[in-house]
Amino acid sequence: MGEGQTENATSAISEFVLDTPQSGINGIRIVGPDGGTASDGFIGIFELEVETYSGGRAVDITSITASDGMVGISFVSDEPDNPHILERSASLMSSSWQEVTDAVLSMIAADEWQFTTDRLAEDSAMCYRVRQLPPPPLFEEDFESGAEGWTVETVMGDTPWAIGEPVSGPGTAYSGTMAAATQLDGNYGPALASSLRSPVIDLTDIARPRLRFWYWLNVPDGEEGAQLRYLNTDGVVIAQREAIFTGDSAGWQAFNEVIPADARDQAIIIELRFLTNEDDTVGSGMVVDDFLIED
Ligand SMILES: [Ca+2]
Ligand SMILES: [Ca+2]
């Protein structure tokens, strides 16, 4: 009980759920047959604190069924192209909702979907909710499963970019076991011009795409290193980052930049072009992992 408590007051805690969305609630009147002095058994008015729930009604539950051990939860969503998951918890007030990973999602009508799960028989009581997730990234690559569409073009030199398990340099990938490296095992060679190129990535209608990746770098500072360039689908350079990647990164570093305006709203290829001079001073080179482009 809060302010206004009196010596003979009693209290009870009750949870309830509104049947339909409500706004402008600033109090509750409880009406009962035995209490209060006002008309119709008035008992009291209480201030009510209303919590906004995850920024609006992105998902509306349209029906819930429970029979034959199956729970069925139908819903509509304001962002139907986003991923949705079914979660469950023993209590509505819990902070530990668990995803029902084996729930089956199917479309039941135009713009209406249904999750079904056979978990009903396990529980005497259980709360379920449908959660809308952010849209997936426009592009992602962790090099763990084939790096489909990535290519290497080497104009000069004997140590081209390679995709695999880095043994030299950082000794491991940033994520998993696989990454792209100027050399997976040993130093890169002199007089090298080798480009690592992404698959074609369609950025049409994306206002401000942002490129992220992780890199590890060990080359003579200022003398050799990698250029980040953006190519069109004909392989023509349409934008280039002014600073080159050079020197020693002292461990894995996160890189991110908004893709330059000249490379937006079209299909592009991302290129890391690694260039070395002709002397024998070399290093472990560059290793990159976990490319991501997001809106
Ligand atoms: Ca990886
Ligand atoms: Ca050199």
Side-chain angles (χ1 to χ4, degrees):
M1 295 184 64
E3 292 181 7
Q5 178 178 359
T6 59
E7 286 185 4
N8 62 352
T10 58
S11 67
I13 297 172
S14 177
E15 294 178 13
F16 62 92
V17 177
L18 299 172
D19 291 335
T20 56
Q22 303 285 335
S23 61
I25 298 173
N26 56 13
I28 300 173
R29 190 175 76 160
I30 298 175
V31 178
D34 302 319
T37 56
S39 61
D40 297 324
F42 169 80
I43 296 177
I45 296 175
F46 303 83
E47 288 300 316
L48 175 69
E49 186 171 322
V50 180
E51 291 186 14
T52 302
Y53 200 68
S54 67
R57 300 186 61 81
V59 173
D60 277 324
I61 304 292
T62 50
S63 78
I64 301 173
T65 59
S67 64
D68 297 331
M70 299 290 294
V71 181
I73 297 168
S74 305
F75 66 96
V76 295
S77 172
D78 67 352
E79 294 286 351
D81 291 335
N82 285 20
H84 294 77
I85 59 172
L86 181 66
E87 295 181 319
R88 59 187 231 143
S89 167
S91 163
L92 263 186
M93 309 305 286
S94 170
S95 60
S96 60
W97 290 81
Q98 302 283 326
E99 182 180 358
V100 184
T101 54
D102 58 355
V104 176
L105 179 64
S106 50
M107 181 183 264
I108 58 172
D111 299 324
E112 186 172 6
W113 284 264
Q114 183 182 51
F115 274 116
T116 52
T117 171
D118 60 2
R119 304 284 283 273
L120 181 61
E122 300 172 18
D123 311 309
S124 57
M126 186 59 68
C127 304
Y128 286 89
R129 72 180 183 189
V130 175
R131 194 149 69 90
Q132 182 191 95
L133 302 180
L138 301 166
F139 174 80
E140 57 186 330
E141 179 60 72
D142 61 9
F143 299 107
E144 299 302 312
S145 50
E148 188 179 350
W150 289 77
T151 59
V152 173
E153 182 170 301
T154 303
V155 178
M156 289 194 307
D158 299 325
T159 54
W161 279 94
I163 293 168
E165 299 185 19
V167 174
S168 57
T172 61
Y174 180 76
S175 71
T177 60
M178 308 278 279
T182 50
Q183 274 290 278
L184 292 167
D185 188 2
N187 291 339
Y188 60 81
L192 178 66
S194 181
S195 291
L196 173 73
R197 288 180 183 164
S198 76
V200 172
I201 303 164
D202 188 2
L203 300 179
T204 306
D205 294 333
I206 308 299
R208 277 175 61 85
R210 181 175 289 276
L211 169 67
R212 299 178 185 276
F213 61 85
W214 287 84
Y215 70 96
W216 187 101
L217 188 67
N218 172 248
V219 301
D221 193 11
E223 295 178 18
E224 38 208 33
Q227 299 171 318
L228 171 60
R229 310 200 297 184
Y230 299 90
L231 317 181
N232 66 16
T233 54
D234 294 327
V236 175
V237 178
I238 49 177
Q240 176 171 329
R241 185 169 185 262
E242 198 167 318
I244 66 167
F245 291 88
T246 187
D248 194 314
S249 65
W252 285 99
Q253 302 292 333
F255 173 80
N256 87 82
E257 75 170 10
V258 175
I259 290 176
D262 287 347
R264 293 181 211 160
D265 198 21
Q266 60 190 297
I268 64 160
I269 294 165
I270 297 164
E271 179 187 70
L272 281 170
R273 184 183 186 217
F274 192 67
L275 301 169
T276 75
N277 59 21
E278 295 184 351
D279 65 30
D280 291 332
T281 306
V282 293
S284 299
M286 187 176 201
V287 188
V288 292
D289 204 353
D290 282 7
F291 277 76
L292 193 71
I293 297 179
E294 55 195 9
D295 194 356

